[in-house]
Amino acid sequence: MAESFILIPGRTSEQGCGISEGKFQEKYQSQINTLQVSPGDMQRLGLIKGDRVRLTSEGGQVEVSVVSAPKDELPDGILFIAYGDLSCRLMSADTHGSGMPTSKGIDVTMDILARS
Amino acid sequence: MSSADYTRISGGTVYDPANGIDGVIKDIWILDGRIADAPSDPSVRPSRNIDATGLVVMPGGVDMHCHIAGPKVNVARKMRPEEKRRGEVLHRTLTTHSGTMGSVPSTFATGYKYAGLGYTTAFDAAVPPLGARHAHEEFEDTPCIDKGFYVLMGNNHFVMQSLQEKEPQKLKAFIGWLLCATKGFAPKLVNPGGVEVWKSRQGGNVSGIDEMVEHFQVTPRQIITGVTQAANELRLPHPVHIHCNNLGMPGNWETTLETMRSLEGHRGHITHIQFHSYGGGDGDENTFNSKVVPLAEYVNTHPNVTIDVGQVLFGSTTSMTGDGPLGYFLSKVYGGKWFSSDTEMEGGCGITPIKYRNKSLVHALQWAIGLEWYLLVNDPWRVVMSTDHPNGGSFLAYPQIIRFLMDRTYRRDVLATCHPMVRERSTLMDLDREYTLNEIAIITRAGPARILGLPNKGHLGPGADADITIYTPNDNKEVMFEMPRLVIKSGRVIVEQSEIREALIGKTLHVQPHYDVEVEPSIQQWFEKYYSIRWRNYPVDLSYLHASEVVPGI
Amino acid sequence: MAHTASEVTANAEGLKVIYDATCTFCGCVCDDIDLTVQDNHITEAKRACVLGKAWFLNHSIDDRPSCLIDGKPASLEAGYDRAARILTDARYPIVYGLSDSPCEAQRVAVSIADWINGTVDTTTSVCHGPSGMAFQGVGEVTCSLGEVANRGDLIIFWGANPAESHPRHFTRYSLMPKGMFLPNGRKDRTCVMVDVRRTKSAKAADIFIPIKPRCDFEALWTLRALVKGVELDPEQVKADTGVEISVWQDLADRMKAARFGVMFFGMGLTMTRGKHANTEALLALTKDLNAFTRFVSKPNRGHGNVTGADNVVSWRTGYPFGVNHARGYPRFNPGEYTTSDVLSRCEADAAMMIACDPMANFSQPARNHLASIPYIALDAKETPTTRAAAVAFTVATYGINTGGTVYRMDDVPIPLRPAFDSPHPSDFEVLSAIESRVKNILGIRA
């Protein structure tokens, strides 16, 4: 069953390095395609690293694999993903007159697709 | 000779006060962008003749104090979309870029508007050294005029440290080094010492020129005297440009008087002196009054001192200053948005929207005090027209100021609309003096060029840059001066009746004084300890100067 | 002139060292990098952070063609012609990107937008554009980064994660430096981190305040109230911000007691609901605090020269980003002339994308529209945007192959020291060539 989360896309140093190495290289791609989930939510949902989930927002839908966020980094109920192609597909086009789509703190629902 | 490509301006009534020419009908010859002697061979014909019969011919205007480029000017542009939205716009044409106005025009608009007014040279009055590169970049996008800038030094840590350590030779070398490193034109002191205090504590400032600046243990007087002496010894064309302490404060006239005394007979320029000529005390509006009479008396009897006015005009504008604590004060007075930025080792900055109202006693007095200054300094060569653009108002108000000076009836009509107490608190009502065209030519071009030490500006003698403005005479001097018939820059017609014909880029004027390079290692040592950029990346190299001229020392 | 050691030393083996080169990866614009260069390759980037090392050491010359038209190799001349034609044929062309170009190239791009009555916008609009709008509302009290190093004794990061996005921020500017008035460096400073995640940066802080997502506005107004001594309902504060009022009171007290406080803020504020209202609250709080002490704030700007883009667009048009020239003069309206909006509303009919990647970073509707119109892309590397461009130019990399000027996040302009030549033209060269053709087509003599 789909569950609601708040998604925070953001920069990471790995993602930043990946830009310089090349956006079509594996390092960058794996960074921006991996969703961090709090250890508590991982456990509660029975997720392990590599499981595939679908995120759906008002703006779009993407599929990613999950990994547990480093200890303490992420509170339960919040998801993190490195800023990139996938995170931006979840933004809505509306900028509320600011020019800036809401790119952080996005409401998403998560469906578990495949367990590895 | 016959192949020489001469331009001749014929039959105009020429005002060239630097060469003693006061309304004489004569021809002006131009060759290779400069004024030339009339060819001795009478058979030589000019390639182009500009018939100026019945018109007035003057050198191009020189604005020696305005804020047109660099970090704080650009912040002010960003900060005020609201006034541009309703303001005049400049459409893009086949020869010009588009632009926006408001109180702080975009770069291209600035160049076009100065040229349209018959001004061909302008100096930005306050650039922090760390922002010098930025100012030069904007200059390249500011067409039609020649330009330069003054370098903020009055709160520079190395300056204060050298004074504290009683090392005048070090100070002198530092000033020389800094002018070379920034490709600047003159040392500028802004609220010397006071800005440093503002940077170090809440609401900080100095209250007078003998108050000690914390940490550095120097007084504003020591900074003024020390920099003035060092700059004069460096033989700079314009040794020092001073924005006194206590700008805008009731009772500040005594600070101004003491500042002039602290020059100790050396050449020095007191800028926007209108803002520094107030009597009264304790911020009490009821005691606020003009003290131009005693200050002008000092200026009249001390030929080492020159001034520009910083005329206030009624209306809305943007205050921008290197005087950080002043920006804070004004933001509290007006309560609007406020920008403040402190630059490491060098200075501060304050920006806030302001409005001068004729019904306000303080504002109306400021307006009257500015005019008193023009009328009470006897020698027009030592008083220069300025609005401290945009602080007192736009440079576009110069034609109106000329009318105030040439037409006492108009002046009195406007005075009559002001707060009634102005007539008691200033002498403006009693001043009958009216400027002549020749005197206007002095305070708007010949005088500032001489004060700046520019040998090729402000006059029409052979060798001068062929920067010339041709006006259509009119009884209403505002009309006459706001729309020149022709403006010529470096020998080329750039404006006809307010329309830009050719947007020449203009050049940057800077100085390159000789200084003791042995001092550089100690500057470097200090620099590397405290700056956030590398020593090597600090100096502005020549690649940033699109076209330039080194103005020689005197 | 300053007489320093030579900026470049070279030996017989072709090994070259560039001293004090400038890294343009992030807004820190570190200008103290010593680059060792051999055979058109940087083998060492001394003092560079992890991002800087990746930037310099991975830089090799792409053996892609300098120009592709419709995905096929083409001559530069053909590319310039086609680009100029696309831009001049369009009714609503947009020029976008610019944050990874030097100011010299940015200036040409703004000229092109002016000549073609186009819109010019920079990646600021999807970065700190909202901060720019907030600034227009309340102003800003700020300083250069050296002031922070020399004076800042309370350093607050709000919605920012410099440990990952600006790795040398702490050591060069904000936490570690031994400054003029902070002789003991880090020991003389208190660092507070406010964020929804306990990021790597939070580990460097003395105090971490974990707030509820999307409550920055409420938290900042709580502080504004406490700083001014307004009484608040503790339960309401806890409910609104996820944090006890005592924590906020403690922070407010520290802010007022600091000698020189600094708030750095990141896209945690600008990209989250509230956007410019969030940053406006922060800028206003900073202003309020100056009634008690000295306090400044500063956005942690991202790309190497995004700050330069703000400056160039401002001095040329009077507005910082999102500038429309359709009427022949500049107009500004975020939300109307900003690229994300112009594309997602299907208004633009042609585009020029300079050193940016909207095909990967924009919303789906914006991408769909961009894919449907002819556009030109300039980038040093291949990206989803260059792949779908009508004309794609591979350009030399600024700061590595080409010189120019870059503005650090605190508006300090810094020169670039290129390490080696590229066979590809610089973006300045490409844009200049396009501009001259555009002017020819339109009969512009300026």
Side-chain angles (χ1 to χ4, degrees):
Chain A
M1 195 192 79
E3 205 175 322
S4 296
F5 288 87
I6 294 175
L7 176 70
I8 315 269
R11 298 196 184 283
T12 69
S13 50
E14 294 275 295
Q15 167 257 355
C17 293
I19 290 175
S20 296
E21 288 162 22
K23 282 193 166 177
F24 299 107
Q25 302 295 313
E26 196 185 321
K27 178 173 177 180
Y28 179 78
Q29 287 297 323
S30 86
Q31 269 289 310
I32 64 163
N33 283 287
T34 306
L35 180 74
Q36 293 185 17
V37 181
S38 76
D41 286 331
M42 289 286 279
Q43 195 177 19
R44 186 171 56 80
L45 298 169
L47 288 167
I48 58 166
K49 184 180 175 180
D51 286 352
R52 302 283 296 170
V53 299
R54 178 190 298 131
L55 297 181
T56 308
S57 71
E58 190 193 346
Q61 200 170 66
V62 300
E63 293 176 12
V64 290
S65 62
V66 301
V67 65
S68 179
K71 190 172 172 293
D72 292 348
E73 255 194 43
L74 217 51
D76 293 345
I78 299 180
L79 307 171
F80 176 81
I81 188 167
Y83 181 74
D85 180 18
L86 270 70
S87 72
C88 294
R89 287 180 191 275
L90 294 170
M91 301 183 315
S92 152
D94 191 353
T95 72
H96 309 102
S98 73
M100 163 74 82
T102 301
S103 329
K104 286 179 186 283
I106 303 172
D107 284 315
V108 294
T109 55
M110 183 168 85
D111 293 281
I112 299 164
L113 295 177
R115 298 182 187 273
S116 55
Chain B
M1 281 303 283
S2 58
S3 64
D5 190 13
Y6 280 104
T7 298
R8 183 181 62 188
I9 301 168
S10 62
T13 306
V14 176
Y15 291 84
D16 180 13
N19 293 304
I21 295 165
D22 177 2
V24 175
I25 294 173
K26 68 180 288 241
D27 292 352
I28 304 286
W29 289 75
I30 300 167
L31 185 63
D32 296 334
R34 293 182 179 275
I35 309 287
D37 283 312
S40 49
D41 177 355
S43 71
V44 171
R45 309 299 307 163
S47 324
R48 176 172 189 188
N49 185 67
I50 294 167
D51 182 3
T53 307
L55 304 178
V56 166
V57 179
M58 288 188 186
V62 177
D63 192 342
M64 74 176 294
H65 189 106
C66 55
H67 299 272
I68 54 168
K72 78 178 163 350
V73 175
N74 213 30
V75 163
R77 292 187 188 107
K78 279 185 230 177
M79 188 168 166
R80 303 219 57 197
E82 71 281 9
E83 56 170 16
K84 286 190 272 280
R85 204 177 185 84
R86 285 187 230 108
E88 181 191 351
V89 292
L90 271 70
H91 285 259
R92 195 267 287 167
T93 71
L94 292 179
T95 46
T96 59
H97 286 269
S98 64
T100 48
M101 293 299 293
S103 54
V104 194
S106 56
T107 51
F108 294 107
T110 301
Y112 302 148
K113 284 293 182 181
Y114 262 111
L117 208 58
Y119 271 70
T120 48
T121 305
F123 283 83
D124 187 278
V127 172
L130 210 48
R133 193 170 270 115
H134 178 165
H136 285 294
E137 287 198 288
E138 284 196 24
F139 278 172
E140 196 170 352
D141 283 344
T142 307
C144 298
I145 54 174
D146 292 345
K147 51 254 158 183
F149 61 78
Y150 311 147
V151 181
L152 291 174
M153 295 192 193
N155 294 277
N156 187 295
H157 287 191
F158 196 92
V159 168
M160 291 188 288
Q161 201 176 299
S162 307
L163 288 163
Q164 184 188 9
E165 293 164 359
K166 307 223 175 335
E167 297 249 36
Q169 292 307 315
K170 220 162 123 177
L171 172 61
K172 185 172 145 187
F174 178 76
I175 293 170
W177 170 79
L178 195 55
L179 288 168
C180 290
T182 54
K183 304 282 184 283
F185 187 79
K188 172 77 182 294
L189 307 181
V190 170
N191 185 5
V195 179
E196 175 56 29
V197 181
W198 156 254
K199 287 162 75 177
S200 59
R201 65 173 158 85
Q202 193 281 326
N205 200 350
V206 293
S207 60
I209 84 163
D210 294 309
E211 189 174 316
M212 202 60 90
V213 177
E214 296 150 27
H215 187 73
F216 292 95
Q217 299 302 309
V218 294
T219 63
R221 186 188 298 272
Q222 287 172 303
I223 298 170
I224 296 160
T225 304
V227 171
T228 300
Q229 182 168 339
N232 275 277
E233 284 175 15
L234 282 166
R235 313 197 67 74
L236 299 175
H238 185 62
V240 62
H241 198 93
I242 304 171
H243 156 149
C244 300
N245 304 99
N246 285 331
L247 187 152
M249 301 300 152
N252 66 6
W253 74 282
E254 291 181 59
T255 304
T256 309
L257 186 62
E258 284 308 307
T259 302
M260 294 194 285
R261 286 184 177 141
S262 69
L263 299 174
E264 298 181 351
H266 293 295
R267 271 182 74 202
H269 182 86
I270 309 293
T271 191
H272 42 65
I273 199 162
Q274 175 279 124
F275 290 112
H276 303 271
S277 309
Y278 307 149
D282 300 329
D284 180 357
E285 191 168 300
N286 292 319
T287 61
F288 195 75
N289 65 83
S290 167
K291 287 288 181 187
V292 179
V293 171
L295 288 172
E297 170 66 19
Y298 186 93
V299 172
N300 284 334
T301 52
H302 291 80
N304 63 310
V305 181
T306 55
I307 63 151
D308 69 85
V309 171
Q311 179 67 40
V312 154
L313 286 309
F314 299 120
S316 296
T317 187
T318 305
S319 166
M320 58 169 77
T321 173
D323 192 340
L326 171 67
Y328 179 55
F329 172 80
L330 289 173
S331 78
K332 286 193 296 180
V333 170
Y334 286 91
K337 50 191 171 184
W338 168 47
F339 176 83
S340 171
S341 182
D342 301 341
T343 302
E344 63 211 61
M345 323 316 297
E346 297 179 349
C349 161
I351 304 172
T352 198
I354 56 172
K355 185 173 185 181
Y356 298 105
R357 293 175 297 117
N358 61 348
K359 298 301 181 199
S360 149
L361 174 57
V362 170
H363 297 161
L365 259 171
Q366 290 180 304
W367 172 81
I369 287 169
L371 294 176
E372 280 186 288
W373 267 110
Y374 292 107
L375 301 170
L376 287 170
V377 173
N378 300 332
D379 178 5
W381 288 94
R382 292 197 290 120
V383 54
V384 175
M385 183 175 295
S386 75
T387 58
D388 185 15
H389 165 81
N391 286 298
S394 168
F395 62 85
L396 293 167
Y398 291 162
Q400 192 190 6
I401 299 173
I402 291 172
R403 189 176 173 201
F404 284 136
L405 299 182
M406 296 190 73
D407 180 350
R408 65 174 167 248
T409 308
Y410 175 60
R411 190 160 78 214
R412 284 175 178 154
D413 287 348
V414 174
L415 180 58
T417 69
C418 293
H419 193 290
M421 295 287 277
V422 174
R423 273 155 278 177
E424 293 155 37
R425 305 281 183 87
S426 79
T427 61
L428 187 62
M429 195 63 189
D430 309 323
L431 300 175
D432 292 331
R433 183 175 168 188
E434 287 180 332
Y435 268 59
T436 63
L437 271 182
N438 198 54
E439 287 175 321
I440 292 296
I442 295 171
I443 67 168
T444 56
R445 45 263 284 164
R450 182 178 288 180
I451 293 167
L452 290 165
L454 299 172
N456 302 325
K457 299 291 184 192
H459 73 99
L460 299 175
D465 290 347
D467 299 349
I468 303 164
T469 307
I470 303 177
Y471 298 100
T472 308
N474 192 306
D475 285 342
N476 182 333
K477 300 304 179 214
E478 186 173 352
V479 172
M480 171 176 169
F481 279 93
E482 73 189 355
M483 199 187 282
R485 177 72 193 82
L486 280 181
V487 181
I488 295 166
K489 175 85 191 56
S490 305
R492 316 273 291 252
V493 173
I494 58 169
V495 177
E496 271 186 76
Q497 210 78 17
S498 283
E499 298 240 334
I500 302 290
R501 288 284 169 256
E502 184 183 17
L504 291 184
I505 187 162
K507 66 191 171 209
T508 297
L509 303 168
H510 66 109
V511 294
Q512 218 158 32
H514 293 289
Y515 64 92
D516 177 9
V517 294
E518 300 297 319
V519 177
E520 272 185 24
S522 70
I523 302 173
Q524 183 174 356
Q525 205 179 15
W526 162 81
F527 187 100
E528 291 183 339
K529 200 164 168 196
Y530 298 119
Y531 268 90
S532 64
I533 82 167
R534 298 290 288 169
W535 166 255
R536 208 192 295 271
N537 290 328
Y538 187 73
V540 177
D541 66 45
L542 284 170
S543 70
Y544 284 93
L545 275 61
H546 48 288
S548 64
E549 182 179 314
V550 174
V551 176
I554 50 163
Chain C
M1 279 300 298
H3 56 84
T4 56
S6 162
E7 280 123 28
V8 179
T9 59
N11 71 6
E13 285 81 54
L15 194 80
K16 193 167 70 165
V17 181
I18 317 280
Y19 297 102
D20 293 336
T22 299
C23 175
T24 56
F25 187 81
C26 83
C28 281
V29 190
C30 299
D31 67 330
D32 61 344
I33 315 294
D34 294 345
L35 299 174
T36 306
V37 186
Q38 189 156 31
D39 303 330
N40 287 353
H41 198 80
I42 296 167
T43 55
E44 196 190 342
K46 207 169 146 192
R47 288 188 282 274
C49 68
V50 56
L51 294 173
K53 283 201 161 61
W55 168 249
F56 285 116
L57 303 184
N58 284 295
H59 186 77
S60 51
I61 301 295
D62 268 30
D63 61 1
R64 281 187 302 144
S66 291
C67 179
L68 294 161
I69 297 180
D70 299 324
K72 296 181 195 67
S75 71
L76 282 169
E77 296 299 311
Y80 299 150
D81 287 340
R82 177 76 188 280
R85 192 58 65 188
I86 288 172
L87 293 172
T88 50
D89 282 350
R91 295 184 58 219
Y92 194 152
I94 183 157
V95 176
Y96 175 72
L98 293 168
S99 57
D100 274 320
S101 298
C103 295
E104 290 76 1
Q106 292 167 347
R107 286 159 58 191
V108 182
V110 180
S111 285
I112 292 173
D114 197 2
W115 305 139
I116 61 176
N117 290 12
T119 291
V120 60
D121 186 31
T122 76
T123 62
T124 281
S125 65
V126 293
C127 168
H128 274 287
S131 308
M133 293 165 68
F135 160 71
Q136 293 174 335
V138 297
E140 184 178 37
V141 187
T142 189
C143 67
S144 71
L145 289 169
E147 279 293 279
V148 179
N150 282 313
R151 300 184 198 262
D153 63 342
L154 174 66
I155 312 291
I156 300 169
F157 291 90
W158 196 301
N161 184 12
E164 302 227 39
S165 60
H166 301 79
R168 293 184 77 204
H169 199 288
F170 294 154
T171 50
R172 261 172 80 76
Y173 310 121
S174 52
L175 288 187
M176 311 313 285
K178 293 189 163 104
M180 181 175 284
F181 301 101
L182 302 139
N184 306 309
R186 179 67 181 87
K187 288 200 201 91
D188 289 337
R189 306 176 202 268
T190 303
C191 176
V192 181
M193 205 66 69
V194 184
D195 210 330
V196 298
R197 294 189 300 139
R198 192 180 290 269
T199 60
K200 284 204 177 87
S201 301
K203 294 172 180 90
D206 301 300
I207 299 167
F208 173 61
I209 303 179
I211 58 171
K212 264 188 2 188
R214 304 187 291 213
C215 76
D216 305 87
F217 180 84
E218 291 81 351
L220 287 158
W221 275 84
T222 297
L223 281 168
R224 288 195 73 187
L226 294 175
V227 162
K228 291 204 166 177
V230 176
E231 212 163 298
L232 297 176
D233 172 6
E235 281 174 29
Q236 186 73 47
V237 168
K238 170 77 179 169
D240 284 347
T241 68
V243 176
E244 298 289 344
I245 192 170
S246 58
V247 173
W248 294 124
Q249 185 64 56
D250 175 64
L251 181 57
D253 293 344
R254 286 174 188 275
M255 287 171 140
K256 287 159 82 168
R259 266 176 52 197
F260 192 93
V262 187
M263 267 195 286
F264 289 102
F265 56 101
M267 293 191 288
L269 286 182
T270 61
M271 285 186 163
T272 303
R273 188 179 71 189
K275 294 164 191 165
H276 51 284
N278 298 337
T279 38
E280 192 165 288
L282 186 138
L283 297 176
L285 169 62
T286 309
K287 184 172 155 180
D288 296 346
L289 282 160
N290 279 278
F292 303 94
T293 185
R294 284 311 317 276
F295 222 98
V296 299
S297 53
K298 183 160 280 309
N300 268 355
R301 301 303 308 267
H303 290 285
N305 200 25
V306 69
T307 306
D310 280 17
N311 274 295
V312 168
V313 177
S314 293
W315 82 55
R316 290 183 144 237
T317 72
Y319 304 114
F321 60 92
V323 182
N324 176 286
H325 292 88
R327 290 191 186 161
Y329 60 86
R331 288 182 299 160
F332 170 69
N333 197 15
E336 186 174 7
Y337 306 133
T338 33
T339 310
S340 177
D341 305 272
V342 167
L343 290 176
S344 62
R345 281 197 303 261
C346 304
E347 291 170 348
D349 60 350
M352 181 155 67
M353 299 298 179
I354 305 164
C356 60
D357 193 8
M359 287 304 277
N361 300 140
F362 273 11
S363 68
Q364 199 61 60
R367 293 187 212 189
N368 292 345
H369 183 66
L370 180 59
S372 76
I373 61 174
Y375 73 90
I376 302 134
L378 282 73
D379 210 306
K381 293 193 184 290
E382 191 176 21
T383 67
T385 300
T386 64
R387 281 187 174 181
V391 188
F393 293 99
T394 307
V395 293
T397 301
Y398 79 138
I400 295 180
N401 308 125
T402 67
T405 313
V406 162
Y407 284 56
R408 201 168 64 184
M409 63 164 82
D410 57 348
D411 295 284
V412 172
I414 297 177
L416 301 178
R417 297 183 186 282
F420 57 92
D421 289 337
S422 164
H424 301 300
S426 67
D427 44 8
F428 173 79
E429 287 165 327
V430 171
L431 291 168
S432 298
I434 294 173
E435 190 204 359
S436 80
R437 282 162 177 75
V438 163
K439 285 166 74 172
N440 265 338
I441 293 169
L442 300 175
I444 286 159
R445 302 183 302 273

